[in-house]
């Protein structure tokens, strides 16, 4: 299954959840309690299967992964010690494209993925052009010098008020550090990772 490239706003409306994690999808008015489209106001009660699938899909769209990438990440998280759901989210947060987004170099994960794909990002001083590259705590992430005057990057940094505590970023130097793994309470509280675990466990 390919990566979804359609409207994030429609997906956010469908799931009642900010895919972009900034609520811009709902900023023009009150969040509607129904999905988009002609039949969006029809209310149907979801089965357990439907609830689990919906939770998986909204997180997959949020991080911008294909189904294969998402499932492979889950499989790796399941083999780790600790709580599978938390480990899964930590692995998603440790992706290079996500950390570029968290540091404010792009306003969306899709924009961050493009910066990585086009080889504009350095990890510990070396070019890395793989968005799925898993960073380790202590890794330094910086923007290539030729991109430091890019209008979109500067606009994004200006819009970024602060970053989460597990990353640090120096806007003057265009570089930051993945300080530590995130704590579960630092991540999106509207994600029920237990439902995603239940979804994949039922497929085994």
């Amino acid at each position: 299954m390919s990566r979804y490239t359609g409207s994030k706003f429609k997906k956010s409306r469908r799931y009642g959840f900010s895919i972009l994690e900034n609520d811009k999808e709902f900023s023009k008015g009150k969040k509607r309690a129904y999905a988009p489209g002609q039949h969006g106001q029809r209310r149907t009660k979801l089965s357990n299967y439907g609830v689990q699938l919906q939770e998986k899909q909204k997180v997959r769209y949020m991080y911008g992964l294909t189904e294969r990438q998402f499932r492979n990440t889950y499989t790796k998280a399941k083999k780790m010690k600790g709580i599978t759901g938390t480990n899964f989210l930590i692995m998603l947060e440790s992706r290079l494209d996500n950390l570029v987004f968290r540091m404010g170099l792009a306003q969306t994960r899709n924009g961050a993925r493009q910066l990585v794909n086009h080889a504009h990002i350095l990890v510990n001083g070396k070019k890395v052009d793989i968005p799925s590259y898993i960073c380790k705590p202590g890794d330094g992430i910086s923007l290539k010098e030729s991109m430091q005057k890019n209008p979109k990057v500067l606009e994004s940094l200006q819009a970024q008020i602060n970053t989460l505590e597990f990353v640090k970023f120096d806007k003057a130097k265009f570089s930051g550090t993945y300080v530590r793994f995130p704590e579960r309470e630092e991540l999106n509280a509207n994600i029920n990772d237990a439902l995603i675990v239940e979804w994949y466990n039922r497929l085994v």
Side-chain angles (χ1 to χ4, degrees), residues 149-168:
K149 293 184 179 180
N150 181 276
K152 287 188 176 181
V153 171
L154 295 176
E155 180 184 353
S156 179
L157 288 174
Q158 187 175 9
Q160 183 82 352
I161 299 175
N162 52 36
T163 57
L164 294 173
E165 291 187 3
F166 58 88
V167 296
K168 288 184 178 179

Side-chain angles (χ1 to χ4, degrees), residues 3-192:
R3 180 178 290 107
Y4 176 74
T5 58
S7 170
K8 296 291 193 299
F9 281 55
K10 285 186 178 180
K11 290 298 180 183
S12 295
R13 281 272 313 281
R14 176 168 298 281
Y15 299 124
F17 171 84
S18 178
I19 299 295
L20 298 176
E21 281 199 292
N22 55 19
D23 284 329
K24 283 187 177 180
E25 305 96 317
F26 308 110
S27 62
K28 292 184 178 180
K30 184 178 179 182
K31 184 185 292 188
R32 302 176 201 177
Y34 52 87
Q38 181 179 359
H39 305 296
Q41 296 190 53
R42 293 182 179 178
R43 294 176 178 269
T44 56
K45 185 176 180 180
L46 291 174
S47 63
N48 287 338
Y49 172 93
V51 171
Q52 293 165 4
L53 174 61
Q54 179 171 284
E55 196 68 21
K56 176 187 74 76
Q57 292 294 77
K58 79 180 189 184
V59 177
R60 184 169 74 82
Y61 290 131
M62 187 181 100
Y63 285 99
L65 273 63
T66 65
E67 176 59 36
R68 177 177 292 180
Q69 290 174 319
F70 201 70
R71 182 167 186 169
N72 286 346
T73 303
Y74 173 81
T75 300
K76 293 176 183 177
K78 190 174 181 180
K79 295 177 181 178
M80 297 166 60
K81 293 181 179 179
I83 302 172
T84 299
T86 300
N87 290 337
F88 182 47
L89 294 181
I90 288 174
M91 287 197 68
L92 293 172
E93 287 289 327
S94 298
R95 285 172 54 99
L96 180 57
D97 55 357
N98 179 75
L99 291 172
V100 169
F101 164 70
R102 291 296 190 198
M103 290 179 177
L105 287 167
Q107 296 190 53
T108 64
R109 287 184 176 88
N110 186 52
R113 185 176 299 109
Q114 289 186 21
L115 285 176
V116 178
N117 276 330
H118 294 156
H120 297 316
I121 300 298
L122 307 176
V123 178
N124 298 326
K126 297 181 180 180
K127 180 182 70 176
V128 178
D129 58 5
I130 303 172
S132 62
Y133 177 84
I134 300 297
C135 295
K136 301 181 294 295
D139 281 349
I141 297 170
S142 57
L143 182 68
K144 193 168 66 174
E145 187 175 356
S146 61
M147 284 293 291
Q148 292 178 6
K149 293 184 179 180
N150 181 276
K152 287 188 176 181
V153 171
L154 295 176
E155 180 184 353
S156 179
L157 288 174
Q158 187 175 9
Q160 183 82 352
I161 299 175
N162 52 36
T163 57
L164 294 173
E165 291 187 3
F166 58 88
V167 296
K168 288 184 178 179
F169 190 78
D170 187 331
K171 294 182 180 182
K173 296 180 179 180
F174 295 91
S175 65
T177 305
Y178 183 24
V179 180
R180 58 172 173 78
F181 291 131
E183 301 289 338
R184 178 61 184 93
E185 55 268 22
E186 293 177 296
L187 304 179
N188 199 314
N190 293 319
I191 293 175
N192 188 338

